[in-house]
Short mmCIF file of all heavy atoms in Angstrom, two decimals:
data_model
loop_
_atom_site.label_atom_id
_atom_site.label_comp_id
_atom_site.label_asym_id
_atom_site.label_seq_id
_atom_site.Cartn_x
_atom_site.Cartn_y
_atom_site.Cartn_z
N PRO A 1197 0.80 -1.24 0.00
CA PRO A 1197 0.00 0.00 0.00
C PRO A 1197 0.83 1.28 0.00
O PRO A 1197 0.37 2.31 -0.50
CB PRO A 1197 -0.82 -0.12 1.30
CG PRO A 1197 -0.88 -1.58 1.59
CD PRO A 1197 0.41 -2.16 1.09
N SER A 1198 2.05 1.24 0.52
CA SER A 1198 2.87 2.45 0.54
C SER A 1198 3.20 2.93 -0.86
O SER A 1198 3.36 4.14 -1.08
CB SER A 1198 4.17 2.20 1.32
OG SER A 1198 4.95 1.19 0.69
N LEU A 1199 3.29 2.02 -1.82
CA LEU A 1199 3.58 2.43 -3.19
C LEU A 1199 2.38 3.15 -3.79
O LEU A 1199 2.53 4.18 -4.47
CB LEU A 1199 3.97 1.22 -4.03
CG LEU A 1199 4.35 1.50 -5.49
CD1 LEU A 1199 5.41 2.57 -5.60
CD2 LEU A 1199 4.81 0.21 -6.17
N LEU A 1200 1.18 2.65 -3.54
CA LEU A 1200 -0.02 3.32 -4.03
C LEU A 1200 -0.16 4.70 -3.39
O LEU A 1200 -0.51 5.68 -4.06
CB LEU A 1200 -1.26 2.46 -3.74
CG LEU A 1200 -2.54 2.87 -4.47
CD1 LEU A 1200 -2.40 2.68 -5.97
CD2 LEU A 1200 -3.73 2.07 -3.95
N ALA A 1201 0.11 4.80 -2.09
CA ALA A 1201 0.05 6.09 -1.40
C ALA A 1201 1.06 7.06 -1.98
O ALA A 1201 0.79 8.27 -2.13
CB ALA A 1201 0.29 5.90 0.09
N HIS A 1202 2.23 6.56 -2.34
CA HIS A 1202 3.27 7.39 -2.96
C HIS A 1202 2.77 7.99 -4.28
O HIS A 1202 2.93 9.18 -4.54
CB HIS A 1202 4.52 6.54 -3.18
CG HIS A 1202 5.62 7.21 -3.92
ND1 HIS A 1202 6.51 8.08 -3.32
CD2 HIS A 1202 5.99 7.15 -5.23
CE1 HIS A 1202 7.38 8.51 -4.22
NE2 HIS A 1202 7.08 7.97 -5.38
N LEU A 1203 2.14 7.16 -5.09
CA LEU A 1203 1.59 7.65 -6.37
C LEU A 1203 0.52 8.70 -6.13
O LEU A 1203 0.49 9.75 -6.79
CB LEU A 1203 0.98 6.50 -7.17
CG LEU A 1203 1.84 5.31 -7.54
CD1 LEU A 1203 1.08 4.41 -8.49
CD2 LEU A 1203 3.15 5.75 -8.15
N ALA A 1204 -0.38 8.41 -5.20
CA ALA A 1204 -1.49 9.33 -4.93
C ALA A 1204 -1.00 10.68 -4.43
O ALA A 1204 -1.50 11.73 -4.85
CB ALA A 1204 -2.44 8.71 -3.91
N ASP A 1205 0.01 10.66 -3.56
CA ASP A 1205 0.51 11.92 -3.00
C ASP A 1205 1.06 12.85 -4.08
O ASP A 1205 1.01 14.07 -3.93
CB ASP A 1205 1.62 11.63 -1.98
CG ASP A 1205 1.09 11.05 -0.68
OD1 ASP A 1205 -0.13 11.14 -0.45
OD2 ASP A 1205 1.90 10.50 0.09
N HIS A 1206 1.58 12.26 -5.16
CA HIS A 1206 2.17 13.06 -6.23
C HIS A 1206 1.23 13.22 -7.43
O HIS A 1206 1.63 13.76 -8.46
CB HIS A 1206 3.49 12.45 -6.68
CG HIS A 1206 4.55 12.49 -5.62
ND1 HIS A 1206 5.27 13.64 -5.35
CD2 HIS A 1206 4.97 11.56 -4.73
CE1 HIS A 1206 6.12 13.41 -4.37
NE2 HIS A 1206 5.95 12.16 -3.97
N ALA A 1207 -0.01 12.76 -7.28
CA ALA A 1207 -0.97 12.81 -8.38
C ALA A 1207 -1.85 14.04 -8.35
O ALA A 1207 -2.71 14.20 -9.22
CB ALA A 1207 -1.84 11.56 -8.37
N VAL A 1208 -1.68 14.92 -7.36
CA VAL A 1208 -2.58 16.06 -7.19
C VAL A 1208 -1.79 17.37 -7.20
O VAL A 1208 -0.63 17.41 -6.81
CB VAL A 1208 -3.41 15.95 -5.89
CG1 VAL A 1208 -4.30 14.71 -5.93
CG2 VAL A 1208 -2.51 15.90 -4.66
N VAL A 1209 -2.45 18.42 -7.64
CA VAL A 1209 -1.88 19.77 -7.65
C VAL A 1209 -2.95 20.74 -7.16
O VAL A 1209 -4.15 20.47 -7.26
CB VAL A 1209 -1.39 20.19 -9.05
CG1 VAL A 1209 -0.19 19.36 -9.49
CG2 VAL A 1209 -2.51 20.09 -10.07
N GLU A 1210 -2.51 21.87 -6.66
CA GLU A 1210 -3.45 22.86 -6.15
C GLU A 1210 -3.68 23.95 -7.18
O GLU A 1210 -2.74 24.53 -7.71
CB GLU A 1210 -2.92 23.48 -4.85
CG GLU A 1210 -3.95 24.37 -4.15
CD GLU A 1210 -3.48 24.87 -2.80
OE1 GLU A 1210 -2.27 24.80 -2.53
OE2 GLU A 1210 -4.34 25.32 -2.00
N HIS A 1211 -4.95 24.21 -7.49
CA HIS A 1211 -5.39 25.30 -8.35
C HIS A 1211 -6.18 26.30 -7.50
O HIS A 1211 -6.49 26.03 -6.34
CB HIS A 1211 -6.28 24.79 -9.49
CG HIS A 1211 -5.52 24.04 -10.55
ND1 HIS A 1211 -6.06 23.77 -11.78
CD2 HIS A 1211 -4.27 23.52 -10.57
CE1 HIS A 1211 -5.18 23.10 -12.51
NE2 HIS A 1211 -4.09 22.94 -11.79
N ALA A 1212 -6.52 27.41 -8.10
CA ALA A 1212 -7.31 28.41 -7.38
C ALA A 1212 -8.64 27.84 -6.90
O ALA A 1212 -9.15 28.21 -5.84
CB ALA A 1212 -7.54 29.63 -8.27
N GLU A 1213 -9.21 26.91 -7.69
CA GLU A 1213 -10.51 26.33 -7.34
C GLU A 1213 -10.40 25.20 -6.32
O GLU A 1213 -11.41 24.72 -5.83
CB GLU A 1213 -11.19 25.80 -8.61
CG GLU A 1213 -11.48 26.86 -9.66
CD GLU A 1213 -10.31 27.01 -10.63
OE1 GLU A 1213 -9.18 26.60 -10.29
OE2 GLU A 1213 -10.53 27.55 -11.73
N GLY A 1214 -9.19 24.74 -6.03
CA GLY A 1214 -9.00 23.66 -5.09
C GLY A 1214 -7.97 22.67 -5.60
O GLY A 1214 -7.25 22.93 -6.57
N TRP A 1215 -7.90 21.51 -4.98
CA TRP A 1215 -6.98 20.46 -5.37
C TRP A 1215 -7.59 19.62 -6.49
O TRP A 1215 -8.77 19.30 -6.47
CB TRP A 1215 -6.65 19.58 -4.18
CG TRP A 1215 -5.77 20.29 -3.19
CD1 TRP A 1215 -6.17 21.09 -2.16
CD2 TRP A 1215 -4.35 20.27 -3.15
NE1 TRP A 1215 -5.09 21.58 -1.48
CE2 TRP A 1215 -3.94 21.08 -2.06
CE3 TRP A 1215 -3.36 19.63 -3.91
CZ2 TRP A 1215 -2.61 21.28 -1.73
CZ3 TRP A 1215 -2.04 19.82 -3.58
CH2 TRP A 1215 -1.66 20.63 -2.50
N THR A 1216 -6.75 19.26 -7.47
CA THR A 1216 -7.24 18.47 -8.60
C THR A 1216 -6.13 17.55 -9.06
O THR A 1216 -4.98 17.65 -8.64
CB THR A 1216 -7.72 19.39 -9.74
OG1 THR A 1216 -8.40 18.60 -10.72
CG2 THR A 1216 -6.56 20.13 -10.40
N TRP A 1217 -6.48 16.63 -9.96
CA TRP A 1217 -5.49 15.70 -10.49
C TRP A 1217 -4.47 16.45 -11.35
O TRP A 1217 -4.80 17.43 -12.01
CB TRP A 1217 -6.16 14.60 -11.31
CG TRP A 1217 -7.17 13.81 -10.55
CD1 TRP A 1217 -8.51 13.72 -10.81
CD2 TRP A 1217 -6.95 13.01 -9.39
NE1 TRP A 1217 -9.13 12.90 -9.89
CE2 TRP A 1217 -8.19 12.45 -9.00
CE3 TRP A 1217 -5.82 12.69 -8.63
CZ2 TRP A 1217 -8.33 11.60 -7.91
CZ3 TRP A 1217 -5.95 11.84 -7.53
CH2 TRP A 1217 -7.19 11.32 -7.18
N ALA A 1218 -3.25 15.94 -11.39
CA ALA A 1218 -2.16 16.64 -12.08
C ALA A 1218 -2.20 16.46 -13.59
O ALA A 1218 -1.49 17.16 -14.31
CB ALA A 1218 -0.81 16.16 -11.53
N PHE A 1219 -3.01 15.53 -14.10
CA PHE A 1219 -3.10 15.39 -15.56
C PHE A 1219 -4.20 16.30 -16.10
O PHE A 1219 -5.11 16.72 -15.38
CB PHE A 1219 -3.36 13.94 -15.96
CG PHE A 1219 -4.67 13.37 -15.47
CD1 PHE A 1219 -5.86 13.62 -16.14
CD2 PHE A 1219 -4.71 12.57 -14.34
CE1 PHE A 1219 -7.07 13.10 -15.68
CE2 PHE A 1219 -5.90 12.04 -13.87
CZ PHE A 1219 -7.08 12.32 -14.54
N ASP A 1220 -4.11 16.60 -17.38
CA ASP A 1220 -5.11 17.43 -18.05
C ASP A 1220 -6.27 16.53 -18.50
O ASP A 1220 -6.07 15.63 -19.31
CB ASP A 1220 -4.47 18.11 -19.26
CG ASP A 1220 -5.39 19.08 -19.96
OD1 ASP A 1220 -6.59 19.14 -19.61
OD2 ASP A 1220 -4.91 19.80 -20.87
N PRO A 1221 -7.49 16.77 -18.02
CA PRO A 1221 -8.62 15.92 -18.45
C PRO A 1221 -8.86 15.95 -19.95
O PRO A 1221 -9.43 15.00 -20.50
CB PRO A 1221 -9.81 16.53 -17.69
CG PRO A 1221 -9.23 17.27 -16.55
CD PRO A 1221 -7.90 17.77 -17.02
N ALA A 1222 -8.41 17.01 -20.63
CA ALA A 1222 -8.60 17.09 -22.08
C ALA A 1222 -7.90 15.94 -22.81
O ALA A 1222 -8.26 15.62 -23.94
CB ALA A 1222 -8.09 18.43 -22.60
N LEU A 1223 -6.91 15.32 -22.17
CA LEU A 1223 -6.24 14.18 -22.77
C LEU A 1223 -7.21 13.04 -23.06
O LEU A 1223 -6.96 12.22 -23.95
CB LEU A 1223 -5.15 13.66 -21.82
CG LEU A 1223 -3.90 14.50 -21.66
CD1 LEU A 1223 -3.19 14.13 -20.36
CD2 LEU A 1223 -2.98 14.30 -22.85
N PHE A 1224 -8.30 12.98 -22.32
CA PHE A 1224 -9.20 11.84 -22.41
C PHE A 1224 -10.50 12.17 -23.13
O PHE A 1224 -11.48 11.44 -23.04
CB PHE A 1224 -9.46 11.29 -21.00
CG PHE A 1224 -8.20 10.82 -20.36
CD1 PHE A 1224 -7.48 11.65 -19.50
CD2 PHE A 1224 -7.68 9.58 -20.66
CE1 PHE A 1224 -6.29 11.23 -18.94
CE2 PHE A 1224 -6.49 9.15 -20.10
CZ PHE A 1224 -5.80 9.98 -19.24
N VAL A 1225 -10.48 13.25 -23.86
CA VAL A 1225 -11.60 13.58 -24.74
C VAL A 1225 -11.17 13.17 -26.14
O VAL A 1225 -10.67 13.95 -26.94
CB VAL A 1225 -11.95 15.08 -24.67
CG1 VAL A 1225 -13.16 15.37 -25.56
CG2 VAL A 1225 -12.23 15.50 -23.24
N GLY A 1226 -11.29 11.86 -26.42
CA GLY A 1226 -10.81 11.33 -27.68
C GLY A 1226 -9.31 11.12 -27.64
O GLY A 1226 -8.62 11.48 -26.69
N HIS A 1227 -8.77 10.51 -28.69
CA HIS A 1227 -7.34 10.27 -28.80
C HIS A 1227 -6.70 11.35 -29.65
O HIS A 1227 -7.33 11.89 -30.57
CB HIS A 1227 -7.08 8.91 -29.48
CG HIS A 1227 -7.47 7.73 -28.65
ND1 HIS A 1227 -6.68 7.24 -27.64
CD2 HIS A 1227 -8.58 6.95 -28.68
CE1 HIS A 1227 -7.29 6.20 -27.08
NE2 HIS A 1227 -8.43 6.00 -27.70
#
């Protein structure tokens, strides 16, 4: 579980609106 926690801790970034995932969701609107 420590490896999954490690990934999760680095998977988020802070924006003005709050914390969100570090990837751009637009990547998943089609290929």
Side-chain angles (χ1 to χ4, degrees):
S1198 62
L1199 182 52
L1200 193 65
H1202 175 81
L1203 302 188
D1205 287 345
H1206 294 281
V1208 298
V1209 293
E1210 189 174 17
H1211 287 195
E1213 299 90 340
W1215 288 87
T1216 190
W1217 302 118
F1219 63 82
D1220 185 353
L1223 288 159
F1224 299 96
V1225 182
H1227 291 279

